[in-house]
Amino acid sequence: MVDTIAADLAAAVECTAQELANRVGVGRASVIRTAKSLGYDGFPQMRVALARELSFLPSRSDDDNSVGLLRGTIEKFGHSLPRLTEALTEEAVTDFVAALHEARRVVIVAAGLSAPLGLDAAMRLSSAGRPAEFLQDSLAQQIAAGSLEPDSVCLVISGSGATKDSLAAASTARAAGAKVLVMTSFARAPLVALADAVMVIPPVSESFPDELLHTSRAALALVIESLVQVLLVYRGDRGREAREAALSLVEKRLKA
């Protein structure tokens, strides 16, 4: 087991406990026992440690300068763009847009690295004539979620789909009878079980170490921006009027 992991760290990091067990020819329990015998709480912790080890291995290329590294990162993101909508369905997007359009009140929940996305979504929805509330404090988000009613929506944005504060707010909103909409990067995330409608947007990272080290939310940001455009079209004249009003305010501010 240990020899297999040491022979190819990169491959081991990309495996689940069951996949690694299959590679070695043992049971999943053996993988977990091995991880614990090495001092980890379990396989997920060992996997993180292996990813950390990989991040310190030397990596050189012809583009190891500032511009080259910047260009490489952007190009890598560009190559991943076609994957972003692979998990989306017409039903999921329509359910999202219809719920946002019809809701009497919308509260946005987002914590950690996803918090800036919550603010961005609130601003974009409001400019589309769909006022949305976003409070920075996690406890305040949960309190707001608990004050929702059955004709309201709680929009939860979480890359991991497992953030403790976001899970608590989603559960509170659901208990209040509100519809829960979830945007996340992982279809098996705990938040998915609490959702009435889900949009899964895969992370731009191509490997577990990349996702662990960079935890990019660029894909979610792009889809949120595009979702608001779909909402504008769905709202018809109301959407156009809201956009015109927002642009008019921007024009006045620029002249000031």
Side-chain angles (χ1 to χ4, degrees):
M1 173 77 68
V2 175
D3 290 340
T4 299
I5 294 172
D8 194 343
L9 290 180
V13 167
E14 294 302 328
C15 289
T16 63
Q18 186 60 59
E19 288 169 344
L20 184 57
N22 293 341
R23 284 171 60 97
V24 180
V26 298
R28 182 175 179 275
S30 295
V31 175
I32 298 172
R33 282 197 298 271
T34 298
K36 290 184 176 180
S37 70
L38 293 173
Y40 302 104
D41 292 335
F43 180 72
Q45 290 73 27
M46 185 176 75
R47 197 178 179 209
V48 170
L50 293 175
R52 184 187 297 117
E53 182 70 21
L54 279 172
S55 72
F56 288 111
L57 294 179
S59 176
R60 301 294 302 174
S61 73
D62 294 335
D63 290 328
D64 267 358
N65 54 64
S66 297
V67 175
L69 291 171
L70 180 64
R71 182 181 295 116
T73 300
I74 294 173
E75 289 178 351
K76 187 175 182 179
F77 175 65
H79 291 316
S80 72
L81 288 178
R83 299 192 301 119
L84 301 189
T85 56
E86 287 181 352
L88 298 180
T89 64
E90 181 67 22
E91 181 181 8
V93 176
T94 300
D95 285 350
F96 250 75
V97 171
L100 290 171
H101 172 68
E102 297 165 3
R104 185 178 66 84
R105 185 177 167 210
V106 175
V107 166
I108 298 176
V109 169
L113 290 174
S114 298
L117 299 181
L119 177 60
D120 181 63
M123 294 177 65
R124 291 184 183 278
L125 286 170
S126 295
S127 71
R130 166 63 279 174
E133 307 165 38
F134 176 69
L135 301 169
Q136 297 280 359
D137 181 73
S138 295
L139 178 58
Q141 290 179 20
Q142 187 172 352
I143 292 172
S147 70
L148 292 172
E149 298 177 347
D151 57 355
S152 299
V153 159
C154 179
L155 171 59
V156 187
I157 304 170
S158 174
S160 69
T163 305
K164 182 178 179 181
D165 290 332
S166 295
L167 283 166
S171 296
T172 302
R174 191 171 183 83
K179 181 172 289 187
V180 177
L181 308 181
V182 169
M183 298 185 73
T184 184
S185 298
F186 303 100
R188 297 181 181 178
L191 264 174
V192 173
L194 298 172
D196 293 289
V198 181
M199 288 181 64
V200 177
I201 299 94
V204 296
S205 306
E206 295 180 351
S207 68
F208 179 75
D210 283 345
E211 171 60 19
L212 185 68
L213 294 169
H214 305 302
T215 53
S216 174
R217 296 294 180 261
L220 282 165
L222 180 58
V223 173
I224 289 170
E225 181 177 343
S226 302
L227 181 66
V228 174
Q229 294 302 316
V230 176
L231 177 62
L232 278 167
V233 174
Y234 186 90
R235 291 171 66 82
D237 290 339
R238 292 177 62 183
R240 285 190 291 273
E241 290 169 4
R243 176 53 56 88
E244 289 175 4
L247 290 175
S248 178
L249 289 173
V250 172
E251 182 182 8
K252 291 178 181 178
R253 177 65 64 89
L254 292 174
K255 290 181 178 179

